[in-house]
C-alpha cells in the first residue's frame, strides 16, 4: 500500500484527520512537528486527497514505496530561486537601473512564455553592458542567501553517498562560489565576459540552457550508474524541465505553474530539506 507524506510549517490536527479519512489511511505516523505520514492509503483516493492537501496549504508527496536515501545516487539542483533566494541576473541589472526590464524577461522565460532560453539570456545579458564587475561581488555578499533547508539537504545527502551537482542558466561567478562553499561535486553555468573591469554584455562559450542542464545531469547519472529512481532534481523554471525529466524524484520548488504541473513532487510551503522526509535515513 502507498503512503502520503504531509508537510507544512504548521500542521492542523483537524486537517490531518480529514485527509486521513478521505485517503482511507490505515494509520497516521507523526515524524516531526511539521511532518506526518498517512499509512496504507487507498490509491483510488489519490487525486482527491492531494487536492485537499493543496487546499489546506500542505505539501503532499505520494509514495508507492518509501526508499532508502542511501539507494539514491544523484542530487541535482537549479540555482536561482531554487538553491538561492534571488535571480542573480535581476540583481546585477539593479546596478544599472535595469532590474525591472531584465526581471520581466526572466519571469517570462521561467514561465515558459519565451521558448528560446538562450535568446532570452542573451537579451538580458546585453542589458548588463557596463556593469562593474564589483557589482557581482556585492550581489553575492549582500543579496544572495541560501533558501531554507539547503545546507541540511546537501549535508545529509552527501553523508548518504549521493553526488551533488548545481546546474544553472545563471553565471559561474556565483555557482563556483557556491560549489566551493557547499562542497558540491560539480557546478555548471554560463560565463560572463568581462573587459576592463566591466561586463561587456556578452556570454562566453555555449549557453547552459535546458538541454545542456539535462546533459550534465545525465552524464553524472551515467557515471554513477544511476537509474531515474536514484536521481533527485530540484528546479523552479521551465528551463529546468529537461533535467527534471531525468529523475523519478522531480521536485518543483516554489515553482512556476508549468513546472508544478509536470513535476512528480512539489515543495510549495516547506523548506528544501523536506525532501529528506520522503526517504528512510540512516540513524
Amino acid at each position: 500500500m502507498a503512503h502520503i507524506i504531509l508537510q507544512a510549517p504548521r500542521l492542523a490536527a483537524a486537517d490531518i484527520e480529514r485527509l486521513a479519512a478521505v485517503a482511507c489511511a490505515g494509520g497516521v505516523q507523526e515524524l516531526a512537528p511539521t511532518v506526518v505520514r498517512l499509512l496504507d492509503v487507498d490509491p483510488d483516493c489519490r487525486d482527491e486527497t492531494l487536492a485537499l492537501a493543496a487546499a489546506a496549504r500542505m505539501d503532499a508527496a505520494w509514495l508507492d514505496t518509501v526508499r532508502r536515501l542511501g539507494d539514491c545516487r544523484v542530487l541535482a539542483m537549479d540555482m536561482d530561486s531554487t538553491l538561492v533566494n534571488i535571480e542573480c541576473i535581476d540583481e546585477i541589472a539593479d546596478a544599472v537601473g535595469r532590474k525591472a526590464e531584465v526581471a520581466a524577461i526572466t519571469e517570462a522565460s521561467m514561465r515558459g512564455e519565451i521558448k528560446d532560453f538562450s535568446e532570452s539570456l542573451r537579451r538580458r545579458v546585453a542589458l548588463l553592458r557596463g556593469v562593474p564587475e564589483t557589482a557581482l561581488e556585492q550581489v553575492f555578499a549582500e543579496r544572495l542567501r541560501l533558501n531554507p533547508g539547503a545546507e541540511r539537504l546537501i549535508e545529509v545527502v552527501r553523508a548518504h553517498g549521493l553526488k551533488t551537482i548545481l546546474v544553472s542558466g545563471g553565471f559561474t561567478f556565483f555557482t563556483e562560489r557556491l560549489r566551493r562553499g557547499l562542497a558540491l561535486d560539480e557546478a555548471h553555468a554560463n560565463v560572463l565576459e568581462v573587459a576592463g573591469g566591466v561586463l561587456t554584455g556578452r556570454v562566453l562559450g555555449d549557453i547552459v540552457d535546458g538541454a545542456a542542464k539535462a546533459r550534465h545531469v545525465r552524464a553524472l547519472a551515467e557515471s554513477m550508474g544511476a537509474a531515474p529512481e536514484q536521481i533527485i532534481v530540484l528546479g523552479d523554471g521551465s528551463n529546468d524541465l529537461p533535467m527534471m525529466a531525468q529523475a523519478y524524484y522531480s521536485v518543483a520548488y516554489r515553482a512556476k505553474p508549468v513546472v508544478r504541473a509536470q513535476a512528480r513532487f512539489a515543495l510549495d510551503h516547506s523548506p528544501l530539506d523536506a525532501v529528506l522526509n520522503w526517504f528512510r535515513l540512516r540513524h
Side-chain angles (χ1 to χ4, degrees):
M1 294 288 283
H3 306 297
I4 299 176
I5 308 297
L6 298 173
Q7 305 191 70
R10 286 175 293 279
L11 290 173
D15 288 334
I16 294 168
E17 290 175 8
R18 182 160 60 100
L19 285 163
V22 170
C24 300
V28 177
Q29 180 183 13
E30 182 177 328
L31 302 180
T34 60
V35 190
V36 298
R37 179 186 295 166
L38 304 186
L39 305 170
D40 300 330
V41 296
D42 185 346
D44 292 337
C45 301
R46 173 176 177 154
D47 292 346
E48 183 181 3
T49 305
L50 296 182
L52 286 171
R57 300 183 64 79
M58 295 181 188
D59 293 320
W62 181 282
L63 299 169
D64 294 317
T65 302
V66 179
R67 297 182 174 95
R68 295 184 304 177
L69 181 62
D71 290 337
C72 290
R73 295 288 180 266
V74 174
L75 170 68
M77 300 163 287
D78 170 52
M79 178 176 67
D80 296 291
S81 298
T82 301
L83 181 63
V84 305
N85 64 322
I86 60 172
E87 293 286 338
C88 293
I89 192 168
D90 298 353
E91 302 306 317
I92 298 168
D94 200 25
V96 287
R98 294 174 182 159
K99 181 176 180 178
E101 186 176 356
V102 170
I105 301 172
T106 300
E107 182 69 13
S109 180
M110 294 302 100
R111 289 196 302 260
E113 295 168 5
I114 298 175
K115 302 302 181 184
D116 189 337
F117 176 83
S118 296
E119 178 58 28
S120 79
L121 183 67
R122 290 190 182 95
R123 284 171 55 193
R124 286 176 285 163
V125 171
L127 293 169
L128 303 181
R129 182 178 179 181
V131 171
E133 189 177 14
T134 55
L136 278 67
E137 186 62 54
Q138 189 173 7
V139 168
F140 184 82
E142 298 179 8
R143 303 192 185 189
L144 184 147
R145 298 291 181 268
L146 294 173
N147 276 323
E151 288 180 283
R152 178 171 178 262
L153 172 63
I154 292 166
E155 288 171 1
V156 173
V157 301
R158 189 166 55 234
H160 282 74
L162 280 73
K163 293 292 185 180
T164 53
I165 178 172
L166 181 60
V167 197
S168 175
F171 308 115
T172 55
F173 181 94
F174 302 101
T175 57
E176 281 303 300
R177 283 161 173 75
L178 291 167
R179 182 186 62 78
R180 293 193 297 269
L182 295 169
L184 304 174
D185 293 291
E186 294 184 21
H188 304 275
N190 299 296
V191 181
L192 287 169
E193 184 180 60
V194 179
V198 299
L199 303 187
T200 66
R202 292 188 294 270
V203 177
L204 297 175
D206 294 334
I207 286 179
V208 179
D209 58 6
K213 286 187 169 193
R215 286 196 298 272
H216 287 303
V217 172
R218 192 160 52 244
L220 179 57
E222 289 174 355
S223 74
M224 298 292 293
E229 293 77 13
Q230 297 173 300
I231 304 170
I232 306 166
V233 177
L234 297 106
D236 75 298
S238 64
N239 65 320
D240 296 320
L241 287 170
M243 71 171 179
M244 293 170 73
Q246 309 302 308
Y248 176 84
Y249 294 98
S250 58
V251 187
Y253 178 79
R254 309 295 194 271
K256 304 299 183 289
V258 65
V259 179
R260 181 67 175 79
Q262 296 184 50
R264 185 170 279 109
F265 302 93
L267 295 176
D268 295 323
H269 312 289
S270 306
L272 288 167
D273 59 344
V275 168
L276 300 172
N277 294 315
W278 304 337
F279 298 91
R280 288 182 285 137
L281 308 180
R282 291 198 301 265
H283 295 288

